[in-house]
Amino acid sequence: MNLIIDFHVHSIYSKDAILSPEKIIRIARRRGLSGVAVTDHDTIRGAMKTKFATFDDFIVVIGAEVKTDRGEIIGLFLNEEIKSREFVEVIEEIKDQDGIIVLPHPYRNKQSAPEDLLSEIDMIEGLNARIPKVLNYKAQCLARDSGLPMIGGSDAHTPFEIGRARTVIPGTSDIKDCLLRGKGIIEGRESLYPVRMLSVMVGKYRRDGIAGLLKAGINKMKK
């Protein structure tokens, strides 16, 4: 039986997300997932809490999405916090834990992928449900041109998003080995625009309150 895993989920331990560890597990199960990777911003606390909340064969991969001086990096299969915020040092810390280094949503917010550092990356997120389809297409082209495996995840911050994008691990393969060998299959599709915007607004409110929400709305109207 194949494993179906959403490799990019945020819990309440991210300042812009509203999902408790228990709710992540409950919703993921209901949507037919075999597991999730909890990848909170700059911490593994949410992943650890989610791992401890499981009681059977549901898979929880411990991860973190770390903001560096060269953009965000996801570390998967971690066992301790990433302390640095410098790109090269973050890469080294993930390697020291025998983790997988993922470049998430490489073109989001008009950012350019750090192509000069792709030799340090293990995988590229080729399907992220929280960004437009055209940016996922660019990420997939980058992965193919670079010869790097792809991984998929919803980037869920709200209950509506869990499992929207995911990665299929064939048979009973070792998950980490399967990913690194490019045997994982990304599937799913982007969330509808209103869902993506709702997720962003919820995050703005939780992180910055009413002021942040109003500022985000004003900036959106100016575009």
Side-chain angles (χ1 to χ4, degrees), residues 22-96:
E22 294 78 13
K23 181 171 283 189
I24 289 172
I25 296 168
R26 186 166 62 251
I27 295 172
R29 286 182 185 280
R30 192 163 65 231
R31 294 185 182 160
L33 298 180
S34 311
V36 296
V38 178
T39 54
D40 285 314
H41 297 296
D42 301 324
T43 183
I44 64 170
R45 291 175 63 205
M48 296 293 288
K49 291 283 187 179
T50 308
K51 184 94 169 176
F52 293 148
T54 59
F55 55 86
D56 55 16
D57 59 350
F58 187 79
I59 298 163
V60 177
V61 175
I62 296 174
E65 185 173 18
V66 182
K67 187 174 183 179
T68 79
D69 58 324
R70 296 293 302 273
E72 291 177 312
I73 289 293
I74 287 179
L76 297 176
F77 301 96
L78 303 178
N79 48 59
E80 58 185 59
E81 298 282 14
I82 302 296
K83 298 181 177 64
S84 179
R85 296 297 177 260
E86 299 291 327
F87 186 96
V88 174
E89 293 179 6
V90 169
I91 295 296
E92 288 303 314
E93 286 192 53
I94 296 172
K95 287 181 178 179
D96 288 345

Side-chain angles (χ1 to χ4, degrees), residues 49-155:
K49 291 283 187 179
T50 308
K51 184 94 169 176
F52 293 148
T54 59
F55 55 86
D56 55 16
D57 59 350
F58 187 79
I59 298 163
V60 177
V61 175
I62 296 174
E65 185 173 18
V66 182
K67 187 174 183 179
T68 79
D69 58 324
R70 296 293 302 273
E72 291 177 312
I73 289 293
I74 287 179
L76 297 176
F77 301 96
L78 303 178
N79 48 59
E80 58 185 59
E81 298 282 14
I82 302 296
K83 298 181 177 64
S84 179
R85 296 297 177 260
E86 299 291 327
F87 186 96
V88 174
E89 293 179 6
V90 169
I91 295 296
E92 288 303 314
E93 286 192 53
I94 296 172
K95 287 181 178 179
D96 288 345
Q97 298 185 46
D98 196 28
I100 290 181
I101 302 158
V102 179
L103 179 64
H105 43 63
Y107 297 103
R108 192 180 69 175
N109 297 330
K110 300 181 181 179
Q111 293 177 339
S112 297
E115 297 188 21
D116 56 319
L117 297 171
L118 287 179
S119 60
E120 302 296 330
I121 303 296
D122 293 320
M123 306 190 72
I124 289 176
E125 188 176 57
L127 181 58
N128 178 304
R130 210 167 181 245
I131 64 175
K133 187 172 185 177
V134 63
L135 299 187
N136 280 322
Y137 176 74
K138 288 182 67 177
Q140 290 166 23
C141 290
L142 177 65
R144 294 188 183 105
D145 292 345
S146 307
L148 289 170
M150 286 186 279
I151 195 170
S154 66
D155 200 357

Side-chain angles (χ1 to χ4, degrees), residues 4 64 72 102 104 106 144 153 158 162 192 204 208 212 216 222:
I4 306 172
E72 291 177 312
V102 179
R144 294 188 183 105
T158 66
I162 293 176
L192 297 175
K204 292 286 187 183
D208 303 317
K222 289 180 178 178

